[in-house]
Amino acid sequence: MSIHATRNELKYAPGVGSRISTDAKPLSALEQVTLIHVGVFALAATWAFGGNADWVQVPLAWWGSIGALITLTAIQDRVVHRRGSLRILKWFWPIAAFNALVCAGTLNPSFREMAFDTDVMLVNVGARAGWPSSARPAAALHRLWVFDATWITCFNLAFAIRQRRALRGLLLVLVANGLALAIFGTLQKFSGAKGLFFDAVASPQRYFFATFIYHNHWGAFMVLMIAMCLGLTWHYARRIKSRDMFHSPVFAAVVVILLLAATVPLSTSRSCSVLVALLLAAAFLNWIFELIRKRRHFHESIALPVAGAIAAALLLLAGVWFVARESIISRTAVTRNQIADMQARGSVGARSILYADTWQMAKDKLWFGWGMGSYPHVFTHYNSQTSVDRLPVFYHDAHSDWLQALAEHGLVGTLLLGAMAIVPLLGIQRRYLTSAIPRYVLTGCGLLVLYAWIEFPFGNMAVVLFWWLGFFCSVQYARLHEHESSVESKATPSAGAALT
């Protein structure tokens, strides 16, 4: 009698130190070009002021536009045809409809630029009611170009990459870049720098961190970085055999997570500190439940591993406190003062007025909105706030991406934005989306979507890029996992045929 081992038995045979890769084929030229293109875009956006300096957005958009050429090349690739990847071109319909909506609005301008001496003013000349419109058509087309270049660059990860190890490698590079930025920002913070790049560039915001102009944008970026790092850590922890955690890459990964997490309170971002705490708490509970499950499976006591896990969590909290103690104390005091002020006034302050004014702006063009990039120009007509010295208060963003999306794109455009994320998720079995990397990365993406109700994380180009990058990485990772599992199940002989 001879026993024919299945593929899974070979991958997880006793004594095997790590998982044997089943997708270790060399990367094709198309895959390599796609990964380089995405990687360069991501690194450049993060180091170039988070992509939020006006002068860097045009070269970044030109670089991202190369993604359209990569997509056209992939469409003609015979391997793509053979694998049936052309089916995901149906994901294009929401963004195509969104582009049509924005472009239609530029043909129906609602404002006109008028020159008075050296000043340029926007005059409301009206627009055909009930039709898509745009306050500033040129600005709308520019914003649309930047968005499309970002989206198509990240879409190519799902269209051209055919191996999960390539996606893991990209995420590892991005986490390493995030760690470099975190170290850079920490050193800059402790040096007492009053501007970006150690005072080389003046910051328009008092609260900045690393290369990011606004601390809440840095916090949102870190949420995505920590989510990616957690997914990778969980993936490799389940596949690498070693004596204990301290003799495995998992320990180094935990240190990286600690460093990344500490920079969020260090940047004085209170809201994102809460998001990071929720993300780490979920990961900790996941780890605890997995430990308990394994110990019970082998009928062993759970006391020791649970105590060790709690000690590790306390050590993590102590490390964050050590690094960001002063920032936490100062921002806690600010929070107390703000709460006391709101209680004295009987309201939540200026933010509630801002939201109410933005909602009024959105209601006036509820179906199609005022046009992409219109908010800072149109909102001046709806802003009911004035400063203590009677000067007007200017808002470039609504501090709620959801409300701003309604104001700029209306219900139709906002639903199309949501469809861009929902459509790719349809048709993928849930159990593949809940594997380690997609589960954590999509959780990070989901947290930012919820956060966008009360802040504007998507007002930062790098955050938008990394959101779509993480999203399409997760979707393609789940699709490839599903495809590989289907192939393995067909190739694995039945239990009756396994013994001959």
Side-chain angles (χ1 to χ4, degrees):
M1 180 184 295
S2 63
I3 300 177
H4 299 285
T6 67
R7 200 173 193 180
N8 279 339
E9 289 170 338
L10 289 173
K11 286 192 291 184
Y12 302 106
V16 177
S18 60
R19 184 181 186 184
I20 299 173
S21 176
T22 60
D23 57 352
K25 296 178 292 184
L27 296 177
S28 67
L30 180 62
E31 289 176 297
Q32 293 178 29
V33 169
T34 300
L35 291 171
I36 292 172
H37 179 247
V38 174
V40 170
F41 196 179
L43 269 60
T46 54
W47 285 94
F49 309 104
N52 264 33
D54 292 337
W55 64 271
V56 304
Q57 289 196 355
V58 171
L60 286 175
W62 276 116
W63 177 261
S65 299
I66 298 174
L69 300 178
I70 296 175
T71 304
L72 292 174
T73 303
I75 290 174
Q76 302 175 57
D77 192 285
R78 285 180 294 179
V79 177
V80 172
H81 283 264
R82 188 165 63 248
R83 292 175 62 93
S85 295
L86 289 179
R87 287 176 296 181
I88 72 172
L89 290 179
K90 62 185 179 183
W91 299 354
F92 267 93
W93 78 258
I95 194 169
F98 182 77
N99 273 257
L101 175 66
V102 175
C103 291
T106 63
L107 301 177
N108 186 24
S110 53
F111 284 77
R112 179 179 299 167
E113 292 185 0
M114 304 287 290
F116 293 92
D117 294 329
T118 59
D119 297 326
V120 177
M121 300 182 65
L122 290 177
V123 179
N124 190 345
V125 295
R128 283 178 291 178
W131 292 87
S133 62
S134 176
R136 298 193 68 184
L141 291 175
H142 173 78
R143 289 281 297 274
L144 182 64
W145 174 38
V146 173
F147 178 79
D148 285 348
T150 301
W151 189 91
I152 196 69
T153 295
C154 300
F155 167 80
N156 286 334
L157 292 173
F159 195 36
I161 303 301
R162 308 180 193 106
Q163 301 182 52
R164 285 187 289 159
R165 68 184 180 94
L167 298 174
R168 291 194 297 268
L170 175 63
L171 293 179
L172 285 169
V173 171
L174 298 180
V175 169
N177 177 65
L179 177 61
L181 282 163
I183 294 172
F184 173 79
T186 302
L187 294 175
Q188 184 174 252
K189 183 79 173 183
F190 286 154
S191 70
K194 302 299 182 183
L196 299 160
F197 292 97
F198 294 95
D199 290 327
V201 179
S203 175
Q205 282 278 348
R206 176 187 175 188
Y207 298 112
F208 64 92
F209 194 84
T211 59
F212 283 65
I213 298 171
Y214 184 46
H215 61 165
N216 281 344
H217 289 159
W218 168 261
F221 173 66
M222 278 294 102
V223 169
L224 294 174
M225 287 294 95
I226 293 170
M228 291 177 185
C229 195
L230 285 170
L232 290 168
T233 302
W234 192 261
H235 170 84
Y236 288 113
R238 298 177 64 183
R239 286 156 175 77
I240 296 177
K241 308 295 182 182
S242 59
R243 286 179 291 168
D244 52 50
M245 188 185 79
F246 296 99
H247 294 83
S248 75
V250 175
F251 179 70
V254 171
V255 173
V256 171
I257 293 171
L258 167 63
L259 292 173
L260 295 177
T263 63
V264 181
L266 186 62
S267 71
T268 67
S269 175
R270 292 169 292 177
S271 51
C272 289
S273 295
V274 174
L275 293 182
V276 169
L278 290 174
L279 186 58
L280 293 180
F284 177 74
L285 290 176
N286 189 13
W287 180 33
I288 288 288
F289 291 149
E290 186 68 15
L291 282 174
I292 293 174
R293 185 187 64 81
K294 287 184 177 180
R295 301 290 286 193
R296 285 180 173 173
H297 177 76
F298 292 105
H299 305 288
E300 298 174 344
S301 172
I302 65 173
L304 185 61
V306 170
I310 294 174
L314 293 175
L315 183 63
L316 176 66
L317 291 174
V320 172
W321 175 259
F322 176 78
V323 173
R325 179 177 63 254
E326 293 184 4
S327 297
I328 294 173
I329 292 173
S330 65
R331 296 301 283 174
T332 301
V334 171
T335 302
R336 287 200 199 99
N337 293 335
Q338 289 176 338
I339 293 174
D341 182 63
M342 286 187 290
Q343 289 175 340
R345 295 186 180 188
S347 69
V348 296
R351 188 64 67 91
S352 64
I353 301 173
L354 172 62
Y355 290 165
D357 293 341
T358 302
W359 173 237
Q360 186 59 51
M361 172 182 167
K363 285 197 300 183
D364 286 351
K365 285 186 177 288
L366 188 58
W367 288 107
F368 301 111
W370 290 87
M372 197 169 192
S374 64
Y375 185 83
H377 312 290
V378 178
F379 185 69
T380 55
H381 298 270
Y382 290 88
N383 188 7
S384 62
Q385 298 185 61
T386 56
S387 62
V388 292
D389 53 7
R390 302 288 182 175
L391 293 175
V393 178
F394 176 77
Y395 284 97
H396 188 274
D397 299 277
H399 288 265
S400 169
D401 282 329
W402 283 96
L403 278 176
Q404 187 162 335
L406 283 172
E408 291 191 346
H409 309 298
L411 285 173
V412 174
T414 302
L415 289 174
L416 288 174
L417 285 171
M420 291 180 204
I422 294 172
V423 170
L425 294 174
L426 300 177
I428 302 176
Q429 294 185 36
R430 182 176 175 275
R431 65 192 179 103
Y432 296 109
L433 287 171
T434 55
S435 62
I437 290 177
R439 178 174 73 246
Y440 278 107
V441 177
L442 289 177
T443 298
C445 292
L447 283 174
L448 287 197
V449 171
L450 294 176
Y451 181 50
W453 279 99
I454 59 170
E455 258 296 347
F456 61 113
F458 300 116
N460 179 270
M461 184 180 181
V463 173
V464 174
L465 171 63
F466 274 74
W467 195 95
W468 284 111
L469 193 156
F471 175 80
F472 279 118
C473 258
S474 300
V475 168
Q476 183 63 358
Y477 199 92
R479 291 179 72 249
L480 291 173
H481 192 183
E482 184 176 8
H483 173 74
E484 291 164 12
S485 297
S486 175
V487 171
E488 286 184 4
S489 64
K490 293 177 181 178
T492 301
S494 62
L499 299 177
T500 61

